[in-house]
Amino acid sequence: MGVMEDELVRASTESRLLTDGTASELAVKPTEVRITHVELEDGSRRWRAEWRIAQLRTKLRSSLGKALVSPAFSAGCLEEARLMLHPTTGGGRSAQQRDAFARMVSHGPLRGALKLKVSSAPCAVQYRLFIGEATEGPFMNDFTSTPVHGCAATDADWLTQVAEDQSLTVGVEFVEASPLAAKAGTESADPAGIKEEEEERD
């Protein structure tokens, strides 16, 4: 099946738009996280959250090496999630350090890590992260015990993924099992014969 729903999440408000699946018709603003899901044949859903960072170089220079953090969003079982883009080398406070960081942002190579922060998730989640067309993962994490998780700094140069309009799109993708599939998986995980023995005792 195609895209069933598109959500645009702003920093302060949330708006839901139902579309015919043509994502090109949606103009996503720099402060928004766009969330889509596709319903699979087994009833599970593949969720994808995309954060377009407009004018990446300008934002990194302004942040002086601190992480760029997306607005909060919810997708499937993930509640109050955020994407965090960490440049490997911070700007520092001295003029020399700031100049070195500015040169790296302008000319590269610009490297760093992408993390996913989740305030609430009912179980461990397997997911992939992407920076432009580059994909990292899959990763498995229980966000109830480790709320911030993701890929370590890679050798990939972020500037090679920057679009012509100087934006960079990062995001996360994961599959959320349907309730029936999750129940079937739980039952199949029971040791053989235990359920039958308990019924005989009753």
Side-chain angles (χ1 to χ4, degrees):
M1 296 183 182
V3 175
M4 301 296 293
E5 181 183 63
D6 289 270
E7 297 179 355
L8 299 182
V9 183
R10 295 180 173 83
S12 57
T13 62
E14 177 178 339
S15 63
R16 297 173 181 264
L17 302 179
L18 297 179
T19 75
D20 60 359
T22 52
S24 60
E25 294 179 358
L26 294 177
V28 182
K29 297 180 180 179
T31 56
E32 294 169 341
V33 176
R34 179 185 173 201
I35 300 174
T36 60
H37 74 258
V38 177
E39 192 161 335
L40 306 179
E41 292 183 358
D42 63 356
S44 60
R45 289 180 175 181
R46 180 185 292 116
W47 290 88
R48 184 179 177 93
E50 297 180 355
W51 177 36
R52 176 179 171 273
I53 307 171
Q55 298 299 320
L56 175 70
R57 291 181 174 89
T58 300
K59 285 184 170 60
L60 286 173
R61 292 190 193 100
S62 300
S63 70
L64 295 178
K66 296 180 181 178
L68 300 181
V69 182
S70 77
F73 63 91
S74 296
C77 62
L78 304 183
E79 297 289 340
E80 288 294 314
R82 288 177 172 83
L83 292 160
M84 306 170 68
L85 196 65
H86 297 262
T88 298
T89 304
R93 294 187 177 182
S94 70
Q96 185 177 2
Q97 288 173 318
R98 291 197 299 269
D99 289 344
F101 182 67
R103 286 194 298 272
M104 182 182 70
V105 170
S106 297
H107 306 293
L110 180 60
R111 300 186 175 97
L114 179 61
K115 304 286 185 180
L116 178 64
K117 181 178 181 180
V118 179
S119 298
S120 176
C123 59
V125 178
Q126 186 177 39
Y127 65 96
R128 294 179 185 272
L129 296 169
F130 56 89
I131 302 175
E133 298 297 326
T135 303
E136 300 288 340
F139 306 100
M140 177 69 77
N141 183 57
D142 183 354
F143 288 97
T144 58
S145 57
T146 308
V148 180
H149 193 260
C151 65
T154 66
D155 292 333
D157 184 357
W158 291 354
L159 297 186
T160 63
Q161 302 298 327
V162 173
E164 292 183 359
D165 63 358
Q166 301 304 307
S167 68
L168 177 66
T169 299
V170 302
V172 58
E173 185 177 81
F174 69 97
V175 173
E176 181 182 37
S178 66
L180 291 178
K183 181 179 179 181
T186 302
E187 291 178 351
S188 63
D190 291 337
I194 290 182
K195 182 176 290 186
E196 287 78 5
E197 289 181 5
E198 291 178 348
E199 291 177 352
E200 290 177 1
R201 290 173 187 170
D202 295 341

